[in-house]
Amino acid sequence: MPKPVVPEEKRRRRRPTKSGTVLSERLIVETALRMLREHGSAGLTARRLGLALDADPSTLYRYFRGMDDLTLAIGDALMGQALDGWERTGEWRADLRAVGLRVHAAYVAHPQAAALTTSRVTGRPNELAADEAVLDVLRTAGFALADTVRIYHAFIDQALAFAALDAAALALPTDSLRADEDVWRSTYGRLPRADYPRIAEAAPLLAARMVESAYPTALEMLLDSAAAELDAG
């Protein structure tokens, strides 16, 4: 005789842990984010997470199907942070700019988590809310459906791709990050003009700009392109 299916809510632990903490999906995700920040992805295991929560590691599987499911929940939590406090103004370009910058900032604030989640599709509530919002902003602005999907695709992938790139740099050891940034001055800034005339003339500007994220500039270029299409339509 098959075992009865236990509803998800009933599988979740209601009793406090030994330290008096009542577990929840949100608490587990927040703890996982902290562990990623402090120890990197290699330090995030069910065993270590259980220790941090003062709970048996098997308890985690009452909330998540496995560590990959937890990874998706972490990604969705970052998207939720991006949307928190965002309000539409009714001006499509300003609204998309705000969403893009918020998404980028939310992931970059958690570099190790960004490395795990920017390439994932969670299908969870916050991701769905973000997708619905971006698509609705574009459709309400007057973009055709096919153009809406194309621009949405470029918009969200651009935000996540730059977040992954910038987060990877921030996840480097401090000495490595500083050494990489110093190359723009110590190497590019000293190249002979006779051999590298274009780099030589641009070197001071490169040294100032290349240590910053290019995402705001890329975002404006994407919005410029979308606006030109809408005006021409």
Side-chain angles (χ1 to χ4, degrees), residues 20-38:
T21 302
V22 177
L23 294 182
S24 66
E25 181 174 317
R26 179 175 180 176
L27 177 61
I28 294 171
V29 169
E30 290 175 348
T31 304
L33 280 170
R34 176 173 56 80
M35 293 182 66
L36 284 168
R37 184 170 58 250
E38 295 174 355

Side-chain angles (χ1 to χ4, degrees), residues 95-128:
D95 290 340
L96 288 187
R97 181 186 297 110
V99 171
L101 292 174
R102 281 171 168 270
V103 168
H104 179 266
Y107 280 85
V108 171
H110 298 276
Q112 294 80 8
L116 289 178
T117 61
T118 48
S119 63
R120 304 302 301 275
V121 180
T122 73
R124 287 171 172 260
N126 291 319
E127 180 183 87
L128 296 176

Side-chain angles (χ1 to χ4, degrees), residues 182-204 206-207:
D182 189 57
V183 170
W184 294 106
R185 295 182 295 273
S186 63
T187 299
Y188 282 78
R190 298 177 181 177
L191 291 173
R193 186 175 294 270
D195 296 329
Y196 302 95
R198 297 306 183 192
I199 293 179
E201 70 173 354
L206 288 171

Side-chain angles (χ1 to χ4, degrees), residues 128-186:
L128 296 176
D131 291 346
E132 178 69 16
V134 172
L135 291 167
D136 188 57
V137 166
L138 290 167
R139 286 293 278 158
T140 302
F143 288 95
L145 181 57
D147 293 334
T148 291
V149 172
R150 179 172 51 82
I151 294 169
Y152 153 78
H153 184 194
F155 172 83
I156 197 64
D157 276 13
Q158 182 193 64
L160 293 174
F162 271 97
L165 177 66
D166 295 336
L170 291 175
L172 289 172
T174 301
D175 289 346
S176 297
L177 178 60
R178 289 177 178 171
D180 282 2
E181 292 179 345
D182 189 57
V183 170
W184 294 106
R185 295 182 295 273
S186 63

